[in-house]
Amino acid sequence: MHPITAKIQLSPNVTRLDVEARRIAEIRQPGQFVIVRRGNGAERIPLTIADADPARGTITLVIQAVGKSTRELVALEPGEAILDISGPLGHPTEMIAAGRAVCVGGGVGTAVVHPIAQGLHQRGVEVISIIGGRSREWVIFEEELRRLGQVVVCTDDGSYGRPGFVTDATRDVLEAGGVDIVYAVGPVPMMRAVADLTRPYGVRTIVSLNPVMVDGTGMCGGCRVDIGGHTKFACVDGPEFDGHLVDFDLLAERLGTYREFEQQAKTACDAGSCRVGLVRPAPTPAPQP
Ligand code: NAD
Ligand code: FES
């Protein structure tokens, strides 16, 4: 069991949970993720490790409550516990050793960008973070990223920082020159737009993909993506890939595969029929004499 040690509401539907997971806190690297299962019968949810505190033995998970399972997860309070956490999973982020990196975070994707910016900063790389939200209340991790370098905040409605999408600010930074690499994490249209933007500048661009995942071990095929015409599994080959090679159409299409079921589950949960904690594994039969 993994007790929750702290819970903070970061934006209207994004919650930060600090959770005890000592071994993972000690060995995790930027870009890696975990798969959590809240209780018996619960869905397995892949979540990036947004931060870790090895001394306390905690990891930070940032959850956007969009469906039944994520809403159940963020309903947990400090003192309650997550049944199991598998990880760290996936490849660590490809880091440059020196130079200037631009980290672009869209909405909740900003939490995924944070450990990448941390890792780059620790290596002495200059980090410029460009983060965005629909409006001021949707901007997250600004303070944490300011400790690591320059931050440009963008809001769609202009209520805070620079008005417009993160791509507008990214274009200006690229125009100014001197960018060695770009990392982009957020909604699929945003990552596609950043990759399209950097391509003519010839700037390497890493994106973190979030396809449907089940086992997280490369066996189920659920997280299949196409990278430069090759099939890859985001859980074991990623989750980060060269943004210029990603088939974003396929990613978007596969992300919609279970939309109808997700909506049904959400509606049932709204009506009070959430089953997490009620579904128990079949008891192991007692050994026969
Ligand atoms: P959102 O829709 O509020 O967008 C956040 C920001 O991204 C916007 O403020 C804007 O700056 C930028 N953006 C959005 N659409 C854009 C476009 N077409 N062109 C350029 N910039 C654009 O984001 P949200 O609601 O916080 O994020 C939700 C999505 O992010 C979900 O689909 C979720 O699956 C995805 N997500 C992805 C990852 C990942 O690892 N890639 C991680 C977490 C969440
Ligand atoms: Fe099953 Fe990646 S989640 S293969």
Side-chain angles (χ1 to χ4, degrees), residues 59 68 75 108 126 141 151 192 220 233 243 261:
I59 58 170
K68 171 182 178 290
V108 67
E126 180 190 348
F141 274 81
V151 177
R192 183 205 297 257
C220 73
F233 297 119
F261 299 101

Side-chain angles (χ1 to χ4, degrees), residues 212-223 233 235:
V212 172
M213 285 193 189
V214 183
D215 62 322
T217 64
M219 289 195 282
C220 73
C223 66
F233 297 119
C235 65

Side-chain angles (χ1 to χ4, degrees), residues 64 106-109 112 132-134 156 164-167 185-187 189-191 193 208-210:
Q64 187 175 36
V108 67
V112 181
R134 291 167 223 170
D156 301 2
F165 283 173
V166 284
T167 37
V185 191
M190 181 219 113
M191 293 191 287
S208 178
L209 304 187
N210 60 329

